Amino acid sequence: MDKKQHIAIFTTASLPWMTGTAVNPLFRAAYLSKNGERNVTLVIPWLSLKDQGLVYPNNMTFDSPSEHEKYIRQWLEERVGFTSGFSIKFYAGKFSRDKRSILAVGDISEIIPDEEADIAVLEEPEHLTWYHHGKRWKTKFRLVIGIIHTNYLEYVKREKNGQMQAFLLKYINNWVVGIYCHKLPPRITLGPSSVTFMELIRNSLRLARKKGEQQQNGEQAFTKGAYFIGKMIWSKGYRELLQLLKDNQKELAGLEVDLFGSGEDSDEVKKAAENLELAVRVNPARDHADALFHDYKVFLNPSTTDVVCTTTAEALAMGKIVVCADHCSNDFFKQFPNCWTYDDSKGFVQLTLKVLGEEPVQLTDAQRYDLSWEAATERFLKAADLDRPPERRLSRSSTLYMSTSLNLQQKVEDASAYVHHVASGFEMSRRLFGAIPGSLQPDEQQSKELGLPNSASK
């Protein structure tokens, strides 16, 4: 009998979209499976060619899931230096233009056979469960762990009637995550006041050591100034950064900033940058590991919408100075000497001018380890209580939705799950709450590409 843990990691994005929910789960799968003690499956969205063109940069597309998987594995192995032992499976997804996100189509829990359904990790659990219609996650899996990536409350606050939308969204998110997840690891919650779990980062520590050696030898380790990298949509920090630069052009005279990214707001961001008196250059998206970034000294990141700010962690690991907002999403990074946080516009100006005239502090071995994938994996296992054999196995519900348990809390939860299941099964109610039309089942083309039974014949 196979006594290994079976871990299925479900996420909402995949390469070549360089976003946290594509990169972090990929590395999580690689390092969880590295020692061979666990069977790991990464479950990612498969998009139609039309949606691929909307999401993936540089007009990159894939004709089949196998071609897409080959690209992902090659990209990963070039960065980790070992052959990964996890499997990759695809679910049907569609791109939502208004949410700027990929949403699942059909019951994606079916991707994992019942006999392998042990532990599920839902990357962005609210995102994966808003419109879920199928077997209840807690029924399918022994343990369901939710990992919060995105502060959706910050996103909706920027829209019309944002405060009211954020109020409603907070309770909807708590509702669906409570229904479908057994556990949110400590310090990961839905509220904007405690979103500080450090996710896996790419291993940039060799670069930090190289820069440290250059500094010790009296060489100029960093020859470029400040930059920012991220998906080029206003809510990813571009609005805050350009506003800070606009409001303080006189104080920051002479400052040069390079922006790197691609996205729906690229044209608007470029236009806003051109209207500044400062030298702000807008460039296409690049991989943060690209040698192009090695010589930059200061990473400016005013974003507060990311629960997991992968780029900040990467910049620190590369030995750079980071200037970021004094926000709960950056609490983990404050322990590192090269992380500087500001409270307001004046503080941003003072810190930016200060650090441009200084050299980064060389990281200690302990600090480097804290920014390694090995340490991040240990933190994840500990936070999720997966670092030791379970004292008792969590039992699945004996029925699909309405438990016979006398426990009142369980009865309420089961009733809530039933209500959500019913509401998510009607096209009208789904569309009322923002689901993509026709997303109850994969369409004929996606079913064919993924080798699924044609939903029309069900």
Side-chain angles (χ1 to χ4, degrees), residues 260-277:
F260 295 87
S262 298
E264 298 91 323
D265 295 329
S266 294
D267 291 340
E268 292 182 22
V269 170
K270 186 173 182 179
K271 183 177 179 180
E274 290 173 348
N275 289 334
L276 297 177
E277 297 176 9

Side-chain angles (χ1 to χ4, degrees), residues 9-14 19-32 40-44 76 86 121-124 147 149 199-200 308 310 373:
I9 302 172
F10 294 80
T11 190
T12 57
S14 61
T19 187
T21 50
V23 175
N24 291 330
L26 176 61
F27 281 99
R28 191 194 310 286
Y31 278 82
L32 284 174
V40 179
T41 301
L42 178 65
V43 187
I44 57 179
L76 177 65
F86 65 92
V121 178
L122 304 186
E123 312 270 355
E124 293 205 317
I147 304 297
H149 282 258
E199 284 296 316
L200 301 179
V308 177
T310 311
W373 286 94

Side-chain angles (χ1 to χ4, degrees), residues 129-385:
T129 58
W130 281 330
Y131 310 113
H132 175 72
H133 181 73
K135 183 174 287 188
R136 187 176 169 189
W137 290 93
K138 286 183 179 179
T139 301
K140 172 88 175 187
F141 294 89
R142 173 180 68 85
L143 177 63
V144 183
I145 302 163
I147 304 297
I148 306 296
H149 282 258
T150 305
N151 191 344
Y152 286 108
L153 305 185
E154 286 293 331
Y155 275 97
V156 299
K157 284 178 182 177
R158 301 158 190 257
E159 300 176 1
K160 185 178 180 180
N161 301 318
Q163 291 298 327
M164 177 58 70
Q165 289 191 61
F167 175 81
L168 294 173
L169 183 61
K170 177 180 179 180
Y171 284 95
I172 291 173
N173 284 353
N174 277 283
W175 179 47
V176 293
V177 172
I179 291 171
Y180 293 116
C181 294
H182 290 107
K183 179 187 288 289
L184 293 179
R187 301 175 70 190
I188 303 183
T189 70
L190 297 175
S193 61
S194 52
V195 285
T196 61
F197 187 76
M198 172 60 183
E199 284 296 316
L200 301 179
I201 60 169
R202 285 175 289 171
N203 194 347
S204 303
L205 299 176
R206 270 181 271 180
L207 174 61
R209 291 191 181 95
K210 177 182 177 181
K211 292 297 182 182
E213 291 172 359
Q214 290 177 329
Q215 288 177 277
Q216 288 179 338
N217 295 332
E219 302 174 23
Q220 186 177 2
F222 299 94
T223 57
K224 299 178 183 177
Y227 75 105
F228 176 66
I229 182 172
K231 181 175 173 59
M232 202 163 283
I233 58 178
W234 284 117
S235 55
K236 284 289 188 180
Y238 287 93
R239 187 180 303 281
E240 290 87 347
L241 180 56
L242 289 175
Q243 190 64 50
L244 285 166
L245 297 177
K246 179 181 178 181
D247 293 344
N248 299 283
Q249 295 188 83
K250 182 178 179 181
E251 294 83 353
L252 295 172
L255 174 68
E256 297 185 10
V257 181
D258 291 326
L259 309 180
F260 295 87
S262 298
E264 298 91 323
D265 295 329
S266 294
D267 291 340
E268 292 182 22
V269 170
K270 186 173 182 179
K271 183 177 179 180
E274 290 173 348
N275 289 334
L276 297 177
E277 297 176 9
L278 300 173
V280 179
R281 294 175 286 268
V282 180
N283 304 278
R286 301 288 288 266
D287 190 325
H288 206 179
D290 195 301
L292 172 73
F293 295 101
H294 290 183
D295 292 330
Y296 283 97
K297 180 166 65 173
V298 178
F299 178 60
L300 303 176
N301 187 5
S303 176
T304 57
T305 56
D306 286 321
V307 172
V308 177
C309 195
T310 311
T311 52
T312 294
E314 292 167 352
L316 288 171
M318 288 189 280
K320 303 182 186 303
I321 297 174
V322 171
V323 176
C324 57
D326 187 5
H327 185 265
C328 51
S329 59
N330 293 319
D331 282 350
F332 175 85
F333 305 122
K334 292 178 183 178
Q335 65 181 294
F336 299 97
N338 289 326
C339 179
W340 295 83
T341 61
Y342 62 88
D343 294 311
D344 51 28
S345 179
K346 182 179 179 181
F348 171 81
V349 172
Q350 291 176 340
L351 281 180
T352 300
L353 295 176
K354 173 183 171 64
V355 299
L356 284 170
E358 298 182 354
E359 290 300 311
V361 176
Q362 295 182 40
L363 299 177
T364 66
D365 289 341
Q367 289 166 344
R368 289 192 182 98
Y369 184 75
D370 282 341
L371 286 168
S372 72
W373 286 94
E374 288 79 6
T377 303
E378 290 173 7
R379 285 193 294 273
F380 167 74
L381 291 171
K382 184 176 181 179
D385 291 330

